[in-house]
Amino acid sequence: MKLSRMWVLAGAVALTGVMVPGPAAQAAEGDCLTGRPASGDVERQRLADPRAAELVSRAGFDAFTARFPAALCGVGSAVQARELADTWGAALWDSAVRRAQGQRPGGDLAPGDDRPLYWTRLAMDEQLARWQPGFPVDVVALRSRFEDASRGLTGNDFRPAPGVRRLFVSGFDPFGLDGELRRANPSGSVALGLNGRRVTLADGQRVEIRAVVLPVRYADFDGGIVERAFGRRMAAGPRAADRITTISQGYPGLFTLEAWAGRARSADPYPDNEEALSGGTYENPVVAPGMGPGAEFIATSLPTAAMAAATQTPYPVRLNTEVSEIPAGATEPVDREDGPTPGSRAVAGGGGGYLSNEVAYRSNRLRLTVRPELPGGHLHTPVLTGLPADPAVLTGPEFEQNEAAIAEEVLTILKAGW
């Protein structure tokens, strides 16, 4: 390996917990970054709130944001820049997974807290956006590579093992941050806590779980991030998934297994994390760009009865058969408790008309195209509650206990789905 490439990689390797000193850690910090924050990105603008940096430092992830500028400034070519984006993104993902699973001590936040990954990624993306390299490079593409790696989309393959089944799941970033910047997302916590784990079912069968954490941004879905994440895990081969389950935060106080995913977006005026709207409302639903052909509604093929019967504590688990549709020959939407009617147009699936419904629809539309025999569906977790009343306090016993309880019950539900 060339010395220059070693400079790019050494700092990221050190941050995963294997201490490998290198020149990247010693270079002058930030002398190739602009002195001002990048503009035009609503998500990154929230970094101005000091609580965002505190969520990074209190997980022990501030070493990433402290050392990344020096690594950027040590890069000398577009090839090295791509290596840096891949390596540091993967190192951040690996560190978040290991921390969630109790293998990487650091900070005083609970191990399962998903927020440090989100805010560290965002801070490093801000540094990438401010980077001014002395050579031609597509920084937008570089940021996309870093995002994918830091979300578990690249690498992160199932390990080859005869007789071990394979489950692929997805979670989401925190959202609704303008209303409460401290919000977490239990589906992201679940993804981090389960990624790479092998669990034993009641009959002794072993299952390996791999996971990704997806952004709450319409533009990324328009750009095919769901298809990129799930497509490579559905391709034929010894490392293909045997089952898929998308997971998101749903309703207060209960889990819901969604019987139906709808083709439409209809959640406006509720925005995504960039404060972007989809253009679809309850009265006028729209189909997302890049969706591809498919039915108006797709039914789950998971064994929902067994999954719901596996546990009812501490949160009840329900099969949700509700949808919203525009019936055939009609122009006005109606809500139905027993699923869609023939020829209707989708307004919302059981999970609504937001990105949680869309990840279920997109992943299962792809499943029906390439692996129709593969079981798949969507699980909504309860809303995570328990943040302290004082907005300056980032965590507390009730919040941490609730997030841990949700994660534990998710695993019970998933293990019953075989």
Side-chain angles (χ1 to χ4, degrees):
M1 182 184 294
K2 292 183 178 179
L3 182 60
S4 58
R5 186 181 178 196
M6 289 176 64
W7 291 8
V8 172
L9 305 185
V13 172
L15 292 171
T16 65
V18 180
M19 297 309 297
V20 180
Q26 302 165 8
E29 289 193 15
D31 57 6
C32 62
L33 274 63
T34 62
R36 60 185 182 281
S39 60
D41 187 313
V42 173
E43 264 191 306
R44 297 202 312 269
Q45 289 173 12
R46 297 189 186 103
L47 290 166
D49 190 310
R51 293 174 297 177
E54 189 179 351
L55 284 165
V56 173
S57 63
R58 289 182 60 182
F61 284 2
D62 46 344
F64 278 98
T65 55
R67 297 176 66 176
F68 193 46
L72 284 170
C73 295
V75 169
S77 70
V79 171
Q80 289 181 7
R82 289 191 290 271
E83 291 173 347
L84 177 140
D86 294 343
T87 304
W88 282 73
L92 177 58
W93 170 257
D94 181 64
S95 292
V97 166
R98 292 175 63 234
R99 186 178 190 280
Q101 297 179 19
Q103 301 165 9
R104 185 188 192 277
D108 64 346
L109 294 179
D113 198 319
D114 65 300
R115 297 172 295 175
L117 172 61
Y118 174 77
W119 290 106
T120 306
R121 179 195 303 116
L122 209 57
M124 294 173 73
D125 180 58
E126 167 73 8
Q127 292 167 337
L128 262 175
R130 292 169 51 204
W131 183 41
Q132 296 193 338
F135 51 87
V137 64
D138 186 340
V139 176
V140 173
L142 207 63
R143 291 170 62 194
S144 180
R145 291 178 74 107
F146 171 77
E147 278 260 344
D148 278 7
S150 68
R151 294 182 177 280
L153 268 73
T154 57
N156 197 25
D157 291 325
F158 291 103
R159 294 167 284 175
V164 177
R165 306 297 298 275
R166 297 172 296 275
L167 169 64
F168 186 66
V169 303
S170 65
F172 274 106
D173 284 345
F175 63 98
L177 300 172
D178 286 335
E180 172 56 84
L181 187 110
R182 298 175 297 166
R183 281 200 177 108
N185 192 324
S187 69
S189 177
V190 165
L192 294 173
L194 294 181
N195 187 67
R197 286 183 57 186
R198 285 184 177 171
V199 299
T200 302
L201 306 183
D203 62 1
Q205 181 176 298
R206 297 280 286 167
V207 177
E208 181 175 331
I209 305 171
R210 291 285 163 173
V212 293
V213 175
L214 297 172
V216 184
R217 296 189 298 243
Y218 286 117
D220 293 76
F221 275 55
D222 295 347
I225 192 170
V226 175
E227 290 77 7
R228 292 203 313 277
F230 282 84
R232 60 190 293 261
R233 274 83 181 193
M234 293 183 189
R239 299 189 183 185
D242 298 308
R243 192 147 304 194
I244 63 168
T245 305
T246 52
I247 306 172
S248 65
Q249 182 174 228
Y251 305 99
L254 79 159
F255 282 93
T256 54
L257 289 153
E258 303 303 337
W260 299 95
R263 185 172 174 78
R265 289 175 176 173
S266 57
D268 292 358
Y270 192 83
D272 69 5
N273 273 349
E274 277 292 320
E275 295 183 357
L277 299 175
S278 70
T281 64
Y282 181 80
E283 292 76 18
N284 294 289
V286 300
V287 176
M291 182 72 82
E296 288 295 304
F297 292 94
I298 296 177
T300 183
S301 56
L302 295 176
T304 54
M307 296 171 78
T311 177
Q312 293 292 321
T313 56
Y315 300 96
V317 184
R318 302 284 184 266
L319 175 64
N320 181 21
T321 59
E322 297 176 359
V323 298
S324 298
E325 65 173 16
I326 299 175
T331 58
E332 299 297 322
V334 297
D335 300 331
R336 298 186 57 86
E337 294 184 357
D338 55 352
T341 56
S344 68
R345 178 185 171 196
V347 174
Y354 195 49
L355 292 171
S356 57
N357 168 78
E358 189 168 325
V359 71
Y361 184 92
R362 283 182 178 268
S363 60
N364 284 282
R365 187 201 69 80
L366 183 63
R367 173 182 65 80
L368 292 174
T369 301
V370 301
R371 293 273 305 282
E373 76 284 2
L374 181 73
H378 189 80
L379 173 66
H380 264 121
T381 76
V383 173
L384 178 57
T385 59
L387 281 169
D390 184 346
V393 180
L394 299 182
T395 190
E398 182 183 357
F399 174 78
E400 294 173 3
Q401 290 164 9
N402 289 346
E403 189 161 48
I406 290 171
E408 184 176 351
E409 194 166 353
V410 166
L411 181 56
T412 301
I413 294 168
L414 292 177
K415 288 170 68 174
W418 292 86

